């Protein structure tokens, strides 16, 4: 009997715990609120009779009430009345007098009579309304819905929560930009960084310089994919009138989003040079850029007209953008033209700029330009943001750094007392691939930042003092659109990674948990569905995990999904169906095979995962590297080269490893004496990514692992200026002989060649799959 009672108590405890959790869960959306406490009492019942109250003479809250009414109409199909006479019962009350030092904080309470959303400012109220909107959208569409009694206090971790959009490489309509801003609001992002000008197009009307949009906003044609020198023959372009800019800025402002314009200078200016050639060092022969990459043609800083031009542009932009910050670029500016330009050299002499151990005179010339523009903007009440290159040659005195190449520049900036915004390409470049299966993704610029990597991003680096930490004002994801042409593809690249970013910048780090996030995300995806956004569905598909078991000479493939439906797979190349083998444990691979797998239920089938595994004498054999790959492209180290998977031109998804400044040398242990006559290895070259092949390919063999005999050696040429990205199979064929060990040596080219915009810098060497037959 005693036993019986304790079981009953146990059961009761279970139920109450479960009950508690589900009540809390109702309000757990994305980003996760800082404090959610369910309280006792009956729930609030939202129905068509509920009224929305916003106080008299408060235009900000009135606007939020209108938004809320629209949101509820979309989520629940009911139209609520808005009133400014106080209502005691059945009302959603909007206020903005919550006492909190964080101006975007809010308090959200629900009880039987009222839901009260009270912000420290209207911005806070807006975020409370977003929370309500999201939980309604995540639930079934019902004209009557219970909101459990709760008390929520929430606030953002960072004051700067940014999303960027490049409209220069591919133009985006006003309509789409507004839709994009809606997305930002849905994810509690408060800053829209609008990249308006670049080599490939100038997108904002400047009345003093009409040719910028008559000429600079259009290009004759565009490079096809990554095929250097191949063009599509189709004109592309577009620009925003000043009226349209005002319209977008106001649209964002209503949603508590600040729009920061970027005029990228003094590089990335070919569109402007095509319109006004006298602003360049060469002075003629410019054409709006049709390809991607970095142009040597930049603004001539020895010409005073350049500064008149820039000041003229900013003078017209200042009234259009109320933002405190203006972004003035400063990235990827080759100094080649300035080195040869008499005007620039005269300017360098006049300013007394001298090369020192850290910086060239030309780098200091760029720094002079950035500081001069900063001074101009400071005088008009604006602060400047620049990409991290503006640290080179001395940073402009009050500039905020946008740290993109890594977080290192951000660390340097805050150590010098500057503010920093973290946007490292390693974690928050949404133009990068989001799946390792790059072959089934739309063509992307490269890179790899999947959802989990975005989520893992911590904007505050280790080792900063308390004061330095405060100078990291936030983080931002960037959406460069060289390879993103359509609105739908933009949404695909942004979603759901934006959901992960949202939590990085909003939720305190100690409350973040990836598994928990994924659970909430599966509900959050219903919002994308309801609002008809095109999002990437990887988390509902098959996600692979690869292992190389060198001890047993086999490959191990594990398949995962966050979908609740099971995975089915085949090994004979046929399409998986409900009749195929159901996945339950890792698949062992010890011969060449093609695996196809999908998440399948009665009424759903995910995209099919396909992976081809090759098998040869090197596959899954022990391999030792003489030099470690560079961190960023280390992946599975040497095992990456014997994992049966051949890398594609998507070079950063884990199929390739890269050396930087070091030579490649690998030794493979075949485990027994084998007859061999052919050794091959792939290398990848892509000049825009600083990737050049090896300068030599050598093969040596040995029976004891100590004494090696060379059997093959070939000298290789460095890539030429017009070579596109490509994979080369380096192959050694020799008279058949016996060997237990095979060594491959492939020394790196020390320097990027003279014709390149980064001439003299070290190169990367990418290598993949070694085959021995
Ligand atoms: Zn010049």
């Amino acid at each position: 009997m005693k036993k019986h009672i304790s079981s009953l108590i146990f059961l009761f405890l279970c139920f109450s715990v479960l009950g508690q959790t589900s009540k809390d869960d109702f309000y757990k959306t994305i980003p996760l609120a800082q404090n959610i406490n369910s309280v006792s009492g009956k729930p609030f019942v939202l129905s068509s009779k509920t009224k929305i109250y916003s106080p008299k003479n408060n235009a900000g809250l009135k606007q939020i009430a209108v938004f809320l009414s629209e949101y509820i109409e979309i989520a629940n199909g009911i139209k609520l009345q808005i009133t400014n006479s106080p209502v005691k019962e059945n009302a959603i009350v909007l206020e903005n007098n919550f006492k909190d030092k964080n101006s975007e904080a809010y308090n959200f309470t629900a009880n039987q009579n009222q839901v009260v959303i009270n912000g420290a400012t209207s911005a806070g109220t807006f975020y409370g309304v977003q929370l309500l909107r999201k939980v309604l959208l995540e639930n079934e569409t019902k004209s009557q819905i219970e909101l459990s009694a709760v008390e929520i206090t929430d606030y953002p971790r960072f004051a700067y929560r940014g999303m960027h959009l490049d409209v220069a490489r591919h133009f985006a309509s006003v309509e789409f930009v507004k839709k994009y801003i809606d997305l930002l609001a849905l994810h509690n992002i408060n800053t829209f960084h609008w990249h308006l000008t670049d080599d490939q197009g100038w997108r904002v009307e400047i009345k003093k310089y009409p040719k910028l949009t008559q000429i600079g906003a259009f290009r004759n044609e565009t490079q096809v994919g990554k095929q250097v020198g191949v063009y599509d023959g189709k004109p592309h372009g577009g620009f925003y009138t000043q009226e349209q800019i005002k319209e977008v800025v106001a649209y964002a402002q209503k949603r508590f989003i600040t729009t920061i314009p970027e005029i990228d200078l003094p590089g990335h200016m070919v569109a402007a040079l095509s319109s006004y050639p006298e602003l360049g060092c060469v002075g003629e022969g410019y054409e709006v850029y049709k390809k991607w990459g970095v142009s040597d043609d930049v603004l001539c800083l020895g010409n005073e007209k350049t500064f008149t031009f820039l000041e003229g542009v900013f003078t017209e932009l200042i009234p259009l953008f109320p933002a405190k910050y203006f972004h003035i670029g400063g990235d990827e500016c080759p100094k080649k033209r300035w080195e040869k330009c008499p005007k620039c050299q005269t300017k360098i002499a006049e300013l007394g700029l001298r090369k020192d151990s850290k910086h060239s005179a030309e780098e200091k010339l760029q720094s002079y330009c950035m500081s001069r523009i900063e001074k101009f903007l400071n005088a008009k009440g604006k602060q400047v943001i620049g990409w991290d290159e503006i640290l080179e040659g001395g940073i402009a005195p009050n500039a905020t750094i946008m740290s993109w190449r890594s977080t290192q520049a951000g660390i340097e900036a805050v150590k010098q007392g500057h503010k920093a915004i973290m946007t490292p390409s390693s974690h928050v470049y949404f133009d990068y691939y989001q799946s390792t299966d790059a072959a089934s993704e739309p063509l992307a610029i490269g890179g790899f930042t999947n959802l989990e990597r975005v989520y893992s991003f911590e904007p505050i680096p280790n080792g900063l003092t308390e004061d330095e930490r405060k100078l990291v004002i936030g983080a931002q994801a960037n959406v460069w659109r060289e390879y993103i042409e359509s609105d739908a593809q933009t949404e695909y690249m942004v979603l759901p990674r934006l959901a992960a970013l949202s939590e990085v910048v909003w939720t305190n780090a100690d409350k973040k948990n990836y598994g928990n996030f994924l659970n909430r995300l599966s509900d959050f995806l219903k919002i994308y569905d309801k609002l008809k956004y095109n999002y990437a569905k990887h988390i509902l598909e098959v996600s692979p995990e690869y292992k190389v078991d060198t001890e047993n000479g086999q490959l191990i493939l594990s398949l995962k999904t966050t979908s609740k439906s099971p995975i089915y797979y085949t090994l004979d190349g046929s399409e998986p169906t409900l009749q195929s083998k159901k996945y339950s444990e890792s698949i062992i691979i010890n011969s060449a095979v093609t695996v196809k797998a999908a998440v399948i239920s009665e009424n759903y089938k995910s995209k099919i995962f396909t992976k081809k595994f090759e098998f040869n004498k090197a596959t899954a054999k022990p391999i030792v590297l003489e030099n470690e790959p560079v961190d960023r492209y280390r992946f599975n180290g040497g095992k990456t080269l014997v994992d049966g998977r051949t890398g594609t031109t998507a070079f950063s998804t884990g199929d390739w490893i890269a050396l930087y400044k070091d030579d490649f040398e690998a030794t493979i242990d075949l485990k027994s004496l084998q007859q061999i006559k052919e050794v091959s290895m792939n290398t990848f070259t892509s000049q825009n990514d600083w990737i050049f092949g090896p300068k030599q390919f050598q093969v040596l063999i040995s029976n004891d692992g100590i004494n090696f005999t060379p059997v093959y050696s070939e000298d290789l040429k460095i890539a030429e200026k017009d070579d596109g990205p490509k994979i080369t199979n380096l192959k050694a064929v020799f008279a058949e002989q016996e060997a237990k060990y095979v060594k491959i040596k492939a020394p790196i080219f020390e320097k990027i060649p003279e014709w390149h915009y980064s001439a003299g810098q070290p190169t990367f060497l990418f290598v993949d799959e070694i085959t021995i037959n």
Side-chain angles (χ1 to χ4, degrees):
M1 191 65 202
K2 203 177 166 194
K3 196 180 156 203
H4 223 89
I5 289 171
S6 55
S7 316
L8 272 175
I9 291 171
F10 177 72
L11 269 177
F12 173 76
L13 281 172
C14 282
F15 278 119
S16 60
V17 167
L18 282 174
Q20 196 88 343
T21 312
S22 72
K23 239 178 144 187
D24 269 5
D25 276 357
F26 185 81
Y27 295 101
K28 283 184 179 162
T29 179
I30 293 171
L32 182 64
Q34 309 285 10
N35 300 296
I36 303 176
N37 297 308
S38 37
V39 293
S40 58
K42 288 188 181 162
F44 178 83
V45 180
L46 177 74
S47 71
S48 58
K49 298 206 177 69
T50 305
K51 286 184 180 164
I52 300 171
Y53 165 79
S54 77
K56 271 192 192 118
N57 307 320
N58 189 327
L61 291 182
K62 175 72 198 292
Q63 175 60 56
I64 296 172
V66 172
F67 281 143
L68 178 58
S69 162
E70 288 168 6
Y71 295 154
I72 292 174
E73 192 172 1
I74 292 167
N76 300 84
I78 49 177
K79 181 90 188 156
L80 302 194
Q81 197 194 327
I82 300 170
T83 175
N84 54 22
S85 357
V87 214
K88 285 253 170 349
E89 274 176 26
N90 199 7
I92 302 172
V93 175
L94 303 182
E95 288 172 342
N96 58 359
N97 54 35
F98 177 54
K99 294 279 170 279
D100 197 284
K101 59 180 189 301
N102 189 324
S103 65
E104 294 173 300
Y106 68 90
N107 182 257
F108 180 116
T109 57
N111 60 40
Q112 192 179 355
N113 300 322
Q114 286 186 328
V115 171
V116 180
I117 304 173
N118 190 3
T121 62
S122 298
T125 315
F126 181 76
Y127 293 119
V129 162
Q130 292 303 319
L131 176 106
L132 177 57
R133 168 202 192 187
K134 286 182 256 198
V135 303
L136 293 176
L137 282 167
E138 284 177 15
N139 278 279
E140 243 178 279
T141 307
K142 283 190 286 197
S143 56
Q144 187 160 312
I145 183 165
E146 286 186 1
L147 306 178
S148 55
V150 78
E151 166 126 24
I152 298 168
T153 311
D154 195 16
Y155 56 89
R157 179 178 173 203
F158 291 104
Y160 186 106
R161 305 183 299 280
M163 272 295 281
H164 155 282
L165 186 69
D166 166 17
V167 296
R169 271 53 178 271
H170 281 101
F171 181 64
S173 67
V174 167
E175 191 190 9
F176 180 71
V177 174
K178 286 181 177 172
K179 193 180 181 196
Y180 192 77
I181 287 167
D182 287 337
L183 258 186
L184 270 50
L186 181 73
H187 294 83
N188 298 21
I189 298 297
N190 67 355
T191 307
F192 172 45
H193 170 173
W194 206 359
H195 184 80
L196 286 166
T197 65
D198 217 302
D199 296 318
Q200 295 82 1
W202 183 283
R203 306 278 175 238
V204 52
E205 175 192 33
I206 302 295
K207 291 180 175 150
K208 187 177 173 191
Y209 295 100
K211 284 194 244 167
L212 286 173
T213 43
Q214 285 160 5
I215 297 170
F218 301 91
R219 59 177 181 258
N220 292 333
E221 51 185 353
T222 305
Q223 179 183 313
V224 177
K226 297 207 172 172
Q227 304 170 56
V228 177
V230 181
Y231 299 97
D232 65 1
K234 289 183 226 155
H236 177 89
F239 65 93
Y240 311 104
T241 63
Q242 296 195 352
E243 281 312 304
Q244 287 174 319
I245 296 272
K246 281 188 213 161
E247 185 186 326
V248 168
V249 169
Y251 188 88
Q253 233 171 354
K254 267 189 182 177
R255 290 154 182 83
F256 300 88
I257 293 170
T258 303
T259 305
I260 295 180
E262 180 185 356
I263 301 297
D264 199 347
L265 65 97
H268 288 279
M269 271 285 173
V270 174
L273 296 180
S274 311
S275 317
Y276 296 95
E278 65 272 26
L279 301 176
C281 294
V282 180
E284 59 180 13
Y286 306 113
E287 180 191 25
V288 181
Y289 229 39
K290 310 189 290 190
K291 56 182 179 182
W292 316 122
V294 175
S295 171
D296 286 336
D297 288 308
V298 302
L299 290 174
C300 175
L301 300 187
N303 183 352
E304 271 306 299
K305 271 191 181 169
T306 295
F307 292 95
T308 312
F309 166 76
L310 290 172
E311 290 175 9
V313 168
F314 284 117
T315 300
E316 290 192 32
L317 294 181
I318 287 165
L320 304 179
F321 293 94
K324 178 170 84 171
Y325 288 109
F326 270 44
H327 200 304
I328 59 172
D331 59 318
E332 299 176 327
C333 179
K335 314 289 188 281
K336 235 181 189 169
R337 296 285 182 257
W338 299 346
E339 284 163 9
K340 302 255 158 63
C341 170
K343 282 186 257 177
C344 286
Q345 288 304 316
T346 306
K347 190 82 185 176
I348 285 173
E350 264 174 37
L351 296 167
L353 304 176
R354 279 200 190 87
K355 179 180 187 266
D356 61 27
S357 59
K358 275 194 190 152
H359 305 295
S360 67
E362 287 75 20
E363 282 175 334
K364 291 185 175 175
L365 182 64
Q366 172 164 350
S367 181
Y368 159 77
C369 166
M370 303 317 280
S371 301
R372 185 164 161 184
I373 297 301
E374 179 183 53
K375 208 171 157 195
F376 176 82
L377 286 166
N378 283 171
K380 314 264 175 193
K382 302 293 183 190
Q383 297 290 314
V384 305
I385 300 176
W387 298 109
D388 59 45
E389 283 95 332
I390 71 168
L391 283 169
E392 295 160 5
I395 181 172
N398 306 312
T400 296
I401 289 289
M402 207 167 249
S403 193
W404 72 278
R405 289 178 294 183
S406 65
T407 51
Q408 195 50 42
I411 296 172
E412 277 171 44
V414 300
K415 291 206 179 287
Q416 294 178 36
H418 289 263
K419 286 182 189 156
I421 298 158
M422 297 299 190
T423 69
S425 56
S426 56
H427 288 78
V428 282
Y429 264 42
F430 290 179
D431 55 336
Y432 283 12
Y433 283 105
Q434 49 189 324
S435 155
T436 52
D437 183 17
S440 22
E441 289 294 308
L443 180 69
I445 195 160
F448 175 63
T449 40
N450 66 353
L451 189 68
E452 188 167 5
R453 188 180 280 200
V454 178
Y455 195 81
S456 73
F457 179 49
E458 170 48 52
I460 306 227
N462 286 329
L464 297 185
T465 65
E466 193 51 41
D467 284 342
E468 288 163 354
R469 292 167 73 92
K470 282 184 195 144
L471 290 171
V472 179
I473 59 174
Q476 169 177 299
N478 295 335
V479 185
W480 300 105
R481 300 205 312 149
E482 287 95 335
Y483 300 94
I484 305 177
E485 295 177 29
S486 69
D487 299 346
Q489 198 190 343
T490 307
E491 290 171 21
Y492 177 86
M493 297 306 274
V494 164
L495 302 177
R497 288 188 283 193
L498 176 54
L501 176 77
S502 164
E503 212 137 290
V504 167
V505 291
W506 183 280
T507 309
N508 285 343
D510 60 352
K511 295 199 164 69
K512 277 174 63 197
N513 174 295
Y514 187 62
N516 182 283
F517 167 76
L518 283 181
N519 276 336
R520 283 177 287 117
L521 183 60
S522 66
D523 284 330
F524 201 78
L525 295 183
K526 292 177 199 158
I527 300 181
Y528 296 158
D529 284 327
K530 281 187 188 165
L531 301 180
K532 300 195 166 51
Y533 281 109
N534 180 40
Y535 61 93
K537 299 186 172 64
H538 300 105
I539 67 157
L540 302 175
E541 295 167 357
V542 176
S543 125
E545 221 176 72
Y546 306 101
K547 280 206 186 83
V548 181
D549 173 7
T550 52
E551 198 146 311
N552 300 302
Q554 59 190 18
L555 307 172
I556 301 168
L557 170 66
S558 308
L559 304 176
K560 293 188 301 185
T561 181
T562 49
S563 165
K564 288 173 183 79
S565 305
I567 295 171
Y568 293 84
Y569 71 97
T570 65
L571 300 175
D572 60 1
S574 65
E575 196 170 297
T577 64
L578 279 172
Q579 280 69 50
S580 306
K581 196 157 190 225
K582 193 169 174 176
Y583 178 85
S584 59
E585 57 185 23
S586 300
I587 303 166
I588 305 293
I589 295 166
N590 39 34
S591 61
V593 71
T594 297
V595 180
K596 291 196 175 199
V599 175
I600 310 178
S601 65
E602 287 297 334
N603 44 23
Y604 171 77
K605 187 169 189 173
S606 73
K607 192 170 85 181
I608 294 174
F609 161 83
T610 304
K611 192 49 94 180
K612 192 175 171 191
F613 294 88
E614 304 286 0
F615 233 88
N616 61 76
K617 287 177 175 143
T619 311
K621 291 291 174 7
I623 176 169
V624 176
L625 298 183
E626 186 63 25
N627 296 311
E628 277 298 296
V630 63
D631 266 353
R632 185 163 169 194
Y633 302 111
R634 179 190 307 276
F635 301 107
N636 207 7
K639 285 182 177 175
T640 312
L641 308 180
V642 293
D643 63 3
R645 294 180 288 131
T646 307
T648 64
T649 54
F651 58 86
S652 45
T653 54
D655 288 339
W656 296 87
I657 57 169
L659 283 293
Y660 185 63
K661 297 181 184 170
D662 285 323
D663 293 332
F664 173 78
E665 184 178 326
T667 308
I668 296 161
D669 176 359
L670 298 175
K671 290 192 156 179
S672 62
L673 281 174
Q674 307 250 349
Q675 291 294 328
I676 63 167
K677 59 178 192 304
E678 195 182 291
V679 174
S680 80
M681 178 175 81
N682 281 351
T683 185
F684 174 67
T685 49
S686 176
Q687 312 154 1
N688 276 340
D689 301 297
W690 298 19
I691 304 171
F692 294 84
K695 62 181 176 189
Q696 218 172 39
F697 178 57
Q698 300 172 45
V699 177
L700 303 92
I701 58 171
S702 165
N703 289 348
D704 58 8
I706 300 160
N707 302 301
F708 281 86
T709 316
V711 290
Y712 186 85
S713 178
E714 179 187 0
D715 291 334
L716 301 159
K717 285 205 191 85
I718 199 158
E720 304 271 343
K721 188 166 186 172
D722 294 324
D723 294 345
K726 66 170 185 226
I727 296 171
T728 307
N729 183 244
L730 304 168
K731 192 186 266 187
V733 182
F734 43 90
E736 184 165 287
Q737 38 201 305
E738 216 169 45
K740 183 163 179 275
Y741 298 93
V742 175
K743 191 190 285 291
I744 297 175
K745 289 186 179 183
I748 197 165
F749 282 106
E750 288 85 5
K751 284 177 179 173
I752 293 178
E754 269 314 303
W755 52 261
H756 194 276
Y757 68 89
S758 298
Q761 299 284 329
T763 71
F764 286 94
L765 167 59
F766 272 66
V767 290
D768 181 35
E769 215 57 14
I770 293 171
T771 63
I772 300 177
N773 285 307

